[in-house]
Amino acid sequence: MAELHSRHIGLKSVTNFRDIGGYRTQNGNSVAWRRVFRSGEFGHLTRNDFQRLTEEIGLTSVIDLRSTLEIERQGIGLLSEADIRYHSVPFMTDDDPGANASRYAHCTNMGEFYLEMARQKDYGQRIIEALEVIADPKNHPIVFHCAVGKDRTGMLAAVLLSLLGVAEQDIIEDYALSEPYMDELLARLKNNPQKSDPPLDIPDYFWKASPESMKLFLSTLRKEYGSINGYLEAMGMEPSLVGRLERALLT
């Protein structure tokens, strides 16, 4: 697929910032470029990168998927100074470190981890809440992010692209684009760990964005709920949301 724009946007102070536009849908449309972005956190955002976001990209809105505790620890950086709509939609509904430790202990890949989270009613409702923000054109251009831009961000991106009719293989490949960033992050942590960084004593699979994990996540949701649309309906999605997303994001 020829790209009209660069998918990866090289910000020096923000990891894993990229455009999810350009993907073709099953109906022959395309996801609009420069309208929706995915990313890691902005706590260390520099002035130069801030200028690129506000002037070059024209960023209007941010959806922060991190927990309240993460926001307290990592902050939102220069975003607090900007005339940007800030939406806190914490996907993790428990801030207990022991909860994740338990999940890591019995899951064998990130796909299983994602499914365990997605099956929770309150988690599904947060996904819908974020999609409602994305569906409103006045919020564009918009970026949604978590800490490193792989897991919560990857789940939201996968659900969004699925609703828009993007092929599963493209969604899986988009998810896998996070892995090189994780390799860089892991190397940095080993050399110079920061207080707010993810801990190193978590399973090796956490540092991966394997195609198999996203394939398991999508295929299992479809098996259990009939479709990604069916999953969201079971979580309380308004029937009009899919149409609003299509009108806002497809060209």
Side-chain angles (χ1 to χ4, degrees):
M1 178 180 63
E3 294 186 355
L4 299 176
H5 297 274
S6 172
R7 185 168 304 287
H8 298 267
I9 299 172
L11 300 176
K12 293 183 179 180
S13 59
V14 181
T15 188
N16 207 0
F17 192 102
R18 59 187 202 260
D19 196 330
I20 63 168
Y23 292 114
R24 299 284 291 178
T25 72
Q26 296 171 350
N27 292 331
N29 297 313
S30 293
V31 181
W33 285 103
R34 295 301 187 259
R35 207 166 292 180
V36 183
F37 302 85
R38 52 177 294 171
S39 178
E41 53 94 9
F42 292 87
H44 304 288
L45 184 67
T46 63
R47 290 285 175 186
N48 285 340
D49 284 344
F50 174 77
Q51 186 173 9
R52 289 193 64 192
L53 288 174
T54 55
E55 297 181 9
E56 178 183 325
I57 293 175
L59 192 65
T60 297
S61 305
V62 173
I63 303 176
D64 192 338
L65 307 178
R66 297 174 300 164
S67 69
T68 301
L69 182 59
E70 287 175 290
I71 295 171
E72 290 176 355
R73 289 176 174 174
Q74 300 167 347
I76 63 173
L78 294 176
L79 292 181
S80 63
E81 301 180 13
D83 185 21
I84 292 176
R85 298 184 185 96
Y86 177 81
H87 304 267
S88 176
V89 185
F91 272 19
M92 300 296 289
T93 52
D94 55 61
D95 281 348
D96 177 12
N100 273 345
S102 175
R103 295 175 190 119
Y104 289 136
H106 67 260
C107 292
T108 61
N109 61 57
M110 290 312 298
E112 293 177 359
F113 188 95
Y114 301 157
L115 286 165
E116 183 160 325
M117 301 308 301
R119 292 183 181 116
Q120 299 177 21
K121 187 78 172 182
D122 49 3
Y123 200 99
Q125 290 171 344
R126 299 297 174 87
I127 292 176
I128 295 169
E129 183 179 347
L131 291 172
E132 285 285 355
V133 177
I134 296 169
D136 189 341
K138 77 172 184 291
N139 291 325
H140 300 163
I142 188 169
V143 60
F144 55 87
H145 75 92
C146 53
V148 298
K150 175 176 74 78
D151 301 312
R152 289 161 288 186
T153 296
M155 293 173 69
L156 180 56
V159 170
L160 172 60
L161 293 174
S162 294
L163 289 180
L164 294 174
V166 174
E168 181 174 296
Q169 188 57 39
D170 285 337
I171 297 172
I172 292 171
E173 290 176 2
D174 182 82
Y175 168 75
L177 292 175
S178 287
E179 184 144 333
Y181 294 99
M182 297 301 293
D183 293 339
E184 294 173 10
L185 175 61
L186 182 57
R188 177 174 65 78
L189 290 180
K190 289 180 177 179
N191 292 326
N192 186 28
Q194 301 294 318
K195 184 185 296 185
S196 61
D197 284 326
L200 291 169
D201 58 343
I202 51 181
D204 289 343
Y205 69 75
F206 172 85
W207 304 101
K208 303 296 182 183
S210 70
E212 293 77 16
S213 288
M214 181 51 63
K215 183 174 183 179
L216 176 66
F217 173 65
L218 293 173
S219 63
T220 303
L221 284 185
R222 290 192 175 103
K223 180 179 180 180
E224 293 180 356
Y225 296 92
S227 64
I228 302 301
N229 195 320
Y231 160 71
L232 291 171
E233 288 177 347
M235 296 294 160
M237 179 182 71
E238 291 290 332
S240 66
L241 178 57
V242 176
R244 286 184 281 121
L245 287 167
E246 291 174 341
R247 289 190 292 274
L249 297 175
L250 296 184
T251 61

